[in-house]
Amino acid sequence: MPTTLEAVRPIALGEIQDARRRIAGTIARTPLIRLQMGPGYPDIRLKLENLQPINAYKLRGAANAVAMLSEAERKRGVWTISAGNAGQGVAYAARAAGVPCTVVVIETAPDSKKERMKALGAKLVLVSYDRAWQALDERSYPGVEGTFVHPFDDHNFIAGHGTMGLEILEDAPDTAAVIGGIGGGGLVVGVASAIKALKPEVKIFGAEPETAAPAALSFKMGSPQVFKDWKPSFVDGAGGQSVFPRMWERMKPLVDGYIVVSLEETKNAMRLMAEKARIISEGAGALPLAAALTGKAGQGPIVAIVSGGNIDLKKFFELIGAAAG
């Protein structure tokens, strides 16, 4: 583990374009569809990252990060920390590269995510959310060896996510705003890096649940903050306990605003996607649609990134049933 990290620097458009070529054989170029909401609603399009091979956008960053490791780094094996989607992404990319993978996984992650990581060949180490967040900050965990691939504060990981921004502008050049959920911040930074380089007038918004909204708090306070009232929820793939200072440095010049939504609004967005577009979204994947429906991102065209669909079906039906009621 390096004693000093590489200084934060902007992610260049050329790096994102290179990443696109590098990961083209691994990821899916996901569709962008219009959500038919009728008059009185913003013009909303959905970027369906739930259709990636691991049903989540994290494969973009993981594939790029693992591909850019040296031979010596790969031989040591790789490991990451995850609530499920980054773990699946790194495990998928590691298996393709023929290297062993360990995931320090949050113990409350859905069983579906744990099972898929195991199926991809990953060794799992279960820990509490607090301990996982600490390990993310320290970039180490006792007894776990190998090359660490950070699930959000990693330049190459973020550049991989930027490939999504290229696709969005190709498929919807009239886009006025893009909304992405925020956990660590890698998704929104990657997409914004591509979009701001090509069309700086497009607004970029981050979406967070009311139970875990450190980025919105940091934006309000003007510096990276800890969210003291953090509570766990079904939105397990987004909403951190704090904003890491390095990620705040990345987000600050790129993200135009942050929209906090309630858990009820998130459930409602999950139900709407299931009803109107037959899309299964996990909680984190529904945050951007919930944010778009508040009107705070304007009338559109708005692209809401459906970041993943990894949710236990029993839990999904329970949540959308509650929303329908």
Side-chain angles (χ1 to χ4, degrees):
M1 188 180 76
T3 51
T4 55
L5 298 172
E6 177 190 30
V8 169
R9 57 186 171 86
I11 294 168
L13 181 61
E15 291 178 289
I16 296 170
Q17 291 166 334
D18 287 344
R20 184 183 206 177
R21 288 186 285 272
R22 194 176 293 118
I23 67 177
T26 304
I27 68 149
R29 190 193 197 287
T30 56
L32 185 70
I33 66 164
R34 187 187 298 268
L35 185 64
Q36 303 293 345
M37 293 294 294
Y41 287 93
D43 177 351
I44 299 171
R45 292 91 185 270
L46 304 175
K47 179 62 171 167
L48 300 182
E49 287 295 294
N50 59 311
L51 299 181
Q52 288 293 350
I54 65 162
N55 300 118
Y57 81 98
K58 287 278 190 179
L59 185 58
R60 292 179 185 266
N64 194 49
V66 171
M68 294 187 74
L69 294 175
S70 68
E71 192 60 35
E73 287 172 324
R74 290 192 201 186
K75 280 183 177 176
R76 295 177 60 213
V78 297
W79 73 281
T80 192
I81 303 163
S82 177
N85 288 340
Q88 287 182 69
V90 173
Y92 189 101
R95 185 178 69 171
V99 301
C101 173
T102 299
V103 182
V104 174
V105 62
I106 296 165
E107 58 196 3
T108 53
D111 289 340
S112 58
K113 293 184 180 182
K114 293 174 190 169
E115 287 161 10
R116 293 186 70 175
M117 284 185 280
K118 286 180 187 174
L120 289 165
K123 175 188 172 185
L124 304 189
V125 178
L126 301 181
V127 301
S128 69
Y129 191 101
D130 290 352
R131 187 64 188 88
W133 203 253
Q134 181 185 349
L136 281 168
D137 195 19
E138 296 173 352
R139 295 173 179 256
S140 66
Y141 188 81
V144 177
E145 297 179 349
T147 302
F148 180 52
V149 179
H150 200 289
F152 52 84
D153 184 11
D154 179 291
H155 191 88
N156 297 332
F157 216 103
I158 297 171
H161 298 332
T163 60
M164 198 194 311
L166 303 178
E167 295 174 15
I168 287 170
L169 288 185
E170 287 167 359
D171 291 348
D174 58 342
T175 296
V178 177
I179 309 176
I182 293 183
L187 165 62
V188 74
V189 170
V191 172
S193 296
I195 287 177
K196 292 290 189 180
L198 293 166
K199 283 192 78 176
E201 67 272 23
V202 176
K203 298 292 185 186
I204 306 291
F205 294 93
E208 293 179 301
E210 61 187 351
T211 51
L217 179 62
S218 300
F219 186 70
K220 178 182 177 183
M221 302 301 289
S223 62
Q225 299 290 316
V226 173
F227 195 78
K228 293 176 182 175
D229 295 326
W230 183 90
K231 296 180 185 68
S233 76
F234 66 89
V235 187
D236 54 79
Q241 291 186 339
S242 63
V243 172
F244 286 14
R246 288 169 56 86
M247 293 308 295
W248 178 246
E249 198 177 332
R250 297 181 199 274
M251 287 191 283
K252 198 172 179 184
L254 294 170
V255 183
D256 296 289
Y258 298 84
I259 300 170
V260 178
V261 297
S262 70
L263 295 182
E264 280 303 312
E265 288 171 323
T266 307
K267 288 178 195 174
N268 188 51
M270 292 169 72
R271 181 182 59 80
L272 279 173
M273 282 190 277
E275 278 187 346
K276 296 185 175 296
R278 297 299 184 255
I279 291 164
I280 294 175
S281 168
E282 61 188 271
L287 288 176
L289 173 57
L293 291 170
T294 67
K296 293 176 183 176
Q299 290 302 300
I302 302 167
V303 173
I305 298 170
V306 184
S307 58
N310 287 314
I311 183 170
D312 295 330
L313 285 180
K314 184 178 178 183
K315 182 68 175 176
F316 177 76
F317 292 132
E318 177 188 312
L319 291 168
I320 65 169

PDB file of all heavy atoms in Angstrom, residues 8-28:
ATOM      1  N   VAL A   8      -4.944  14.349  -6.383  1.00  0.00           N
ATOM      2  CA  VAL A   8      -6.161  14.425  -7.184  1.00  0.00           C
ATOM      3  C   VAL A   8      -5.917  15.335  -8.378  1.00  0.00           C
ATOM      4  O   VAL A   8      -5.369  16.428  -8.244  1.00  0.00           O
ATOM      5  CB  VAL A   8      -7.330  14.977  -6.327  1.00  0.00           C
ATOM      6  CG1 VAL A   8      -8.532  15.313  -7.198  1.00  0.00           C
ATOM      7  CG2 VAL A   8      -7.715  13.965  -5.259  1.00  0.00           C
ATOM      8  N   ARG A   9      -6.310  14.868  -9.552  1.00  0.00           N
ATOM      9  CA  ARG A   9      -6.186  15.688 -10.759  1.00  0.00           C
ATOM     10  C   ARG A   9      -7.425  15.471 -11.624  1.00  0.00           C
ATOM     11  O   ARG A   9      -8.111  14.442 -11.490  1.00  0.00           O
ATOM     12  CB  ARG A   9      -4.924  15.328 -11.535  1.00  0.00           C
ATOM     13  CG  ARG A   9      -4.819  13.869 -11.951  1.00  0.00           C
ATOM     14  CD  ARG A   9      -3.467  13.544 -12.582  1.00  0.00           C
ATOM     15  NE  ARG A   9      -3.302  12.111 -12.785  1.00  0.00           N
ATOM     16  CZ  ARG A   9      -3.716  11.436 -13.848  1.00  0.00           C
ATOM     17  NH1 ARG A   9      -4.352  12.080 -14.828  1.00  0.00           N
ATOM     18  NH2 ARG A   9      -3.518  10.134 -13.958  1.00  0.00           N
ATOM     19  N   PRO A  10      -7.744  16.415 -12.476  1.00  0.00           N
ATOM     20  CA  PRO A  10      -8.912  16.247 -13.338  1.00  0.00           C
ATOM     21  C   PRO A  10      -8.759  15.020 -14.232  1.00  0.00           C
ATOM     22  O   PRO A  10      -7.640  14.644 -14.604  1.00  0.00           O
ATOM     23  CB  PRO A  10      -8.936  17.535 -14.166  1.00  0.00           C
ATOM     24  CG  PRO A  10      -8.124  18.519 -13.391  1.00  0.00           C
ATOM     25  CD  PRO A  10      -7.078  17.724 -12.678  1.00  0.00           C
ATOM     26  N   ILE A  11      -9.866  14.411 -14.578  1.00  0.00           N
ATOM     27  CA  ILE A  11      -9.852  13.276 -15.498  1.00  0.00           C
ATOM     28  C   ILE A  11     -10.061  13.816 -16.906  1.00  0.00           C
ATOM     29  O   ILE A  11     -11.089  14.417 -17.218  1.00  0.00           O
ATOM     30  CB  ILE A  11     -10.924  12.256 -15.111  1.00  0.00           C
ATOM     31  CG1 ILE A  11     -10.547  11.648 -13.751  1.00  0.00           C
ATOM     32  CG2 ILE A  11     -11.053  11.166 -16.160  1.00  0.00           C
ATOM     33  CD1 ILE A  11     -11.598  10.851 -13.100  1.00  0.00           C
ATOM     34  N   ALA A  12      -9.050  13.632 -17.724  1.00  0.00           N
ATOM     35  CA  ALA A  12      -9.058  14.205 -19.077  1.00  0.00           C
ATOM     36  C   ALA A  12      -9.992  13.428 -19.996  1.00  0.00           C
ATOM     37  O   ALA A  12     -10.169  12.214 -19.843  1.00  0.00           O
ATOM     38  CB  ALA A  12      -7.647  14.206 -19.645  1.00  0.00           C
ATOM     39  N   LEU A  13     -10.564  14.126 -20.968  1.00  0.00           N
ATOM     40  CA  LEU A  13     -11.450  13.491 -21.937  1.00  0.00           C
ATOM     41  C   LEU A  13     -10.726  12.353 -22.658  1.00  0.00           C
ATOM     42  O   LEU A  13     -11.311  11.285 -22.896  1.00  0.00           O
ATOM     43  CB  LEU A  13     -11.954  14.535 -22.942  1.00  0.00           C
ATOM     44  CG  LEU A  13     -12.921  14.033 -24.009  1.00  0.00           C
ATOM     45  CD1 LEU A  13     -14.194  13.470 -23.372  1.00  0.00           C
ATOM     46  CD2 LEU A  13     -13.267  15.164 -24.985  1.00  0.00           C
ATOM     47  N   GLY A  14      -9.457  12.549 -22.968  1.00  0.00           N
ATOM     48  CA  GLY A  14      -8.689  11.509 -23.656  1.00  0.00           C
ATOM     49  C   GLY A  14      -8.579  10.237 -22.822  1.00  0.00           C
ATOM     50  O   GLY A  14      -8.600   9.126 -23.375  1.00  0.00           O
ATOM     51  N   GLU A  15      -8.480  10.375 -21.508  1.00  0.00           N
ATOM     52  CA  GLU A  15      -8.408   9.198 -20.635  1.00  0.00           C
ATOM     53  C   GLU A  15      -9.730   8.422 -20.660  1.00  0.00           C
ATOM     54  O   GLU A  15      -9.733   7.185 -20.610  1.00  0.00           O
ATOM     55  CB  GLU A  15      -8.098   9.623 -19.201  1.00  0.00           C
ATOM     56  CG  GLU A  15      -6.696  10.174 -19.005  1.00  0.00           C
ATOM     57  CD  GLU A  15      -6.455  10.631 -17.577  1.00  0.00           C
ATOM     58  OE1 GLU A  15      -7.033  11.660 -17.180  1.00  0.00           O
ATOM     59  OE2 GLU A  15      -5.684   9.967 -16.869  1.00  0.00           O
ATOM     60  N   ILE A  16     -10.830   9.147 -20.730  1.00  0.00           N
ATOM     61  CA  ILE A  16     -12.148   8.499 -20.785  1.00  0.00           C
ATOM     62  C   ILE A  16     -12.336   7.811 -22.132  1.00  0.00           C
ATOM     63  O   ILE A  16     -12.849   6.682 -22.212  1.00  0.00           O
ATOM     64  CB  ILE A  16     -13.255   9.541 -20.525  1.00  0.00           C
ATOM     65  CG1 ILE A  16     -13.116  10.102 -19.103  1.00  0.00           C
ATOM     66  CG2 ILE A  16     -14.635   8.936 -20.739  1.00  0.00           C
ATOM     67  CD1 ILE A  16     -13.990  11.305 -18.815  1.00  0.00           C
ATOM     68  N   GLN A  17     -11.900   8.465 -23.201  1.00  0.00           N
ATOM     69  CA  GLN A  17     -12.003   7.851 -24.531  1.00  0.00           C
ATOM     70  C   GLN A  17     -11.128   6.600 -24.624  1.00  0.00           C
ATOM     71  O   GLN A  17     -11.533   5.594 -25.221  1.00  0.00           O
ATOM     72  CB  GLN A  17     -11.614   8.879 -25.596  1.00  0.00           C
ATOM     73  CG  GLN A  17     -12.640   9.997 -25.716  1.00  0.00           C
ATOM     74  CD  GLN A  17     -12.147  11.195 -26.508  1.00  0.00           C
ATOM     75  OE1 GLN A  17     -10.939  11.455 -26.581  1.00  0.00           O
ATOM     76  NE2 GLN A  17     -13.071  11.934 -27.105  1.00  0.00           N
ATOM     77  N   ASP A  18      -9.947   6.649 -24.017  1.00  0.00           N
ATOM     78  CA  ASP A  18      -9.079   5.461 -23.982  1.00  0.00           C
ATOM     79  C   ASP A  18      -9.735   4.337 -23.177  1.00  0.00           C
ATOM     80  O   ASP A  18      -9.672   3.164 -23.563  1.00  0.00           O
ATOM     81  CB  ASP A  18      -7.720   5.805 -23.363  1.00  0.00           C
ATOM     82  CG  ASP A  18      -6.843   6.647 -24.276  1.00  0.00           C
ATOM     83  OD1 ASP A  18      -7.143   6.716 -25.490  1.00  0.00           O
ATOM     84  OD2 ASP A  18      -5.860   7.231 -23.770  1.00  0.00           O
ATOM     85  N   ALA A  19     -10.358   4.715 -22.056  1.00  0.00           N
ATOM     86  CA  ALA A  19     -11.039   3.723 -21.228  1.00  0.00           C
ATOM     87  C   ALA A  19     -12.155   3.049 -22.018  1.00  0.00           C
ATOM     88  O   ALA A  19     -12.368   1.836 -21.912  1.00  0.00           O
ATOM     89  CB  ALA A  19     -11.606   4.382 -19.969  1.00  0.00           C
ATOM     90  N   ARG A  20     -12.854   3.829 -22.820  1.00  0.00           N
ATOM     91  CA  ARG A  20     -13.955   3.275 -23.605  1.00  0.00           C
ATOM     92  C   ARG A  20     -13.463   2.160 -24.532  1.00  0.00           C
ATOM     93  O   ARG A  20     -14.089   1.097 -24.627  1.00  0.00           O
ATOM     94  CB  ARG A  20     -14.593   4.392 -24.432  1.00  0.00           C
ATOM     95  CG  ARG A  20     -15.807   3.949 -25.215  1.00  0.00           C
ATOM     96  CD  ARG A  20     -16.344   5.079 -26.063  1.00  0.00           C
ATOM     97  NE  ARG A  20     -17.753   4.898 -26.306  1.00  0.00           N
ATOM     98  CZ  ARG A  20     -18.514   5.745 -26.971  1.00  0.00           C
ATOM     99  NH1 ARG A  20     -18.000   6.855 -27.442  1.00  0.00           N
ATOM    100  NH2 ARG A  20     -19.782   5.516 -27.170  1.00  0.00           N
ATOM    101  N   ARG A  21     -12.348   2.400 -25.203  1.00  0.00           N
ATOM    102  CA  ARG A  21     -11.789   1.374 -26.086  1.00  0.00           C
ATOM    103  C   ARG A  21     -11.322   0.152 -25.276  1.00  0.00           C
ATOM    104  O   ARG A  21     -11.492  -0.987 -25.692  1.00  0.00           O
ATOM    105  CB  ARG A  21     -10.619   1.951 -26.894  1.00  0.00           C
ATOM    106  CG  ARG A  21     -11.064   2.938 -27.972  1.00  0.00           C
ATOM    107  CD  ARG A  21      -9.914   3.372 -28.844  1.00  0.00           C
ATOM    108  NE  ARG A  21      -9.040   4.332 -28.165  1.00  0.00           N
ATOM    109  CZ  ARG A  21      -9.225   5.654 -28.176  1.00  0.00           C
ATOM    110  NH1 ARG A  21     -10.257   6.169 -28.833  1.00  0.00           N
ATOM    111  NH2 ARG A  21      -8.391   6.453 -27.549  1.00  0.00           N
ATOM    112  N   ARG A  22     -10.754   0.433 -24.112  1.00  0.00           N
ATOM    113  CA  ARG A  22     -10.176  -0.626 -23.273  1.00  0.00           C
ATOM    114  C   ARG A  22     -11.241  -1.587 -22.732  1.00  0.00           C
ATOM    115  O   ARG A  22     -10.996  -2.781 -22.607  1.00  0.00           O
ATOM    116  CB  ARG A  22      -9.421   0.038 -22.114  1.00  0.00           C
ATOM    117  CG  ARG A  22      -8.490  -0.882 -21.337  1.00  0.00           C
ATOM    118  CD  ARG A  22      -7.725  -0.078 -20.293  1.00  0.00           C
ATOM    119  NE  ARG A  22      -6.794   0.866 -20.881  1.00  0.00           N
ATOM    120  CZ  ARG A  22      -6.850   2.207 -20.745  1.00  0.00           C
ATOM    121  NH1 ARG A  22      -7.801   2.760 -20.003  1.00  0.00           N
ATOM    122  NH2 ARG A  22      -5.977   2.984 -21.312  1.00  0.00           N
ATOM    123  N   ILE A  23     -12.415  -1.060 -22.383  1.00  0.00           N
ATOM    124  CA  ILE A  23     -13.431  -1.890 -21.717  1.00  0.00           C
ATOM    125  C   ILE A  23     -14.571  -2.303 -22.640  1.00  0.00           C
ATOM    126  O   ILE A  23     -15.508  -2.978 -22.211  1.00  0.00           O
ATOM    127  CB  ILE A  23     -14.016  -1.160 -20.486  1.00  0.00           C
ATOM    128  CG1 ILE A  23     -14.839   0.080 -20.891  1.00  0.00           C
ATOM    129  CG2 ILE A  23     -12.902  -0.771 -19.518  1.00  0.00           C
ATOM    130  CD1 ILE A  23     -15.503   0.806 -19.706  1.00  0.00           C
ATOM    131  N   ALA A  24     -14.461  -1.950 -23.932  1.00  0.00           N
ATOM    132  CA  ALA A  24     -15.566  -2.196 -24.867  1.00  0.00           C
ATOM    133  C   ALA A  24     -15.983  -3.661 -24.932  1.00  0.00           C
ATOM    134  O   ALA A  24     -17.166  -3.971 -25.103  1.00  0.00           O
ATOM    135  CB  ALA A  24     -15.188  -1.702 -26.261  1.00  0.00           C
ATOM    136  N   GLY A  25     -15.028  -4.571 -24.777  1.00  0.00           N
ATOM    137  CA  GLY A  25     -15.358  -5.984 -24.857  1.00  0.00           C
ATOM    138  C   GLY A  25     -15.911  -6.559 -23.568  1.00  0.00           C
ATOM    139  O   GLY A  25     -16.337  -7.714 -23.542  1.00  0.00           O
ATOM    140  N   THR A  26     -15.925  -5.764 -22.507  1.00  0.00           N
ATOM    141  CA  THR A  26     -16.365  -6.237 -21.193  1.00  0.00           C
ATOM    142  C   THR A  26     -17.744  -5.714 -20.807  1.00  0.00           C
ATOM    143  O   THR A  26     -18.561  -6.440 -20.242  1.00  0.00           O
ATOM    144  CB  THR A  26     -15.351  -5.809 -20.103  1.00  0.00           C
ATOM    145  OG1 THR A  26     -14.058  -6.295 -20.454  1.00  0.00           O
ATOM    146  CG2 THR A  26     -15.737  -6.347 -18.737  1.00  0.00           C
ATOM    147  N   ILE A  27     -17.996  -4.451 -21.103  1.00  0.00           N
ATOM    148  CA  ILE A  27     -19.253  -3.820 -20.674  1.00  0.00           C
ATOM    149  C   ILE A  27     -20.303  -3.833 -21.782  1.00  0.00           C
ATOM    150  O   ILE A  27     -19.998  -4.131 -22.947  1.00  0.00           O
ATOM    151  CB  ILE A  27     -19.015  -2.364 -20.219  1.00  0.00           C
ATOM    152  CG1 ILE A  27     -18.629  -1.489 -21.428  1.00  0.00           C
ATOM    153  CG2 ILE A  27     -17.971  -2.296 -19.143  1.00  0.00           C
ATOM    154  CD1 ILE A  27     -19.066  -0.063 -21.321  1.00  0.00           C
ATOM    155  N   ALA A  28     -21.511  -3.480 -21.432  1.00  0.00           N
ATOM    156  CA  ALA A  28     -22.578  -3.274 -22.414  1.00  0.00           C
ATOM    157  C   ALA A  28     -22.743  -1.776 -22.656  1.00  0.00           C
ATOM    158  O   ALA A  28     -22.600  -0.980 -21.728  1.00  0.00           O
ATOM    159  CB  ALA A  28     -23.886  -3.860 -21.893  1.00  0.00           C
TER     160      ALA A  28
END
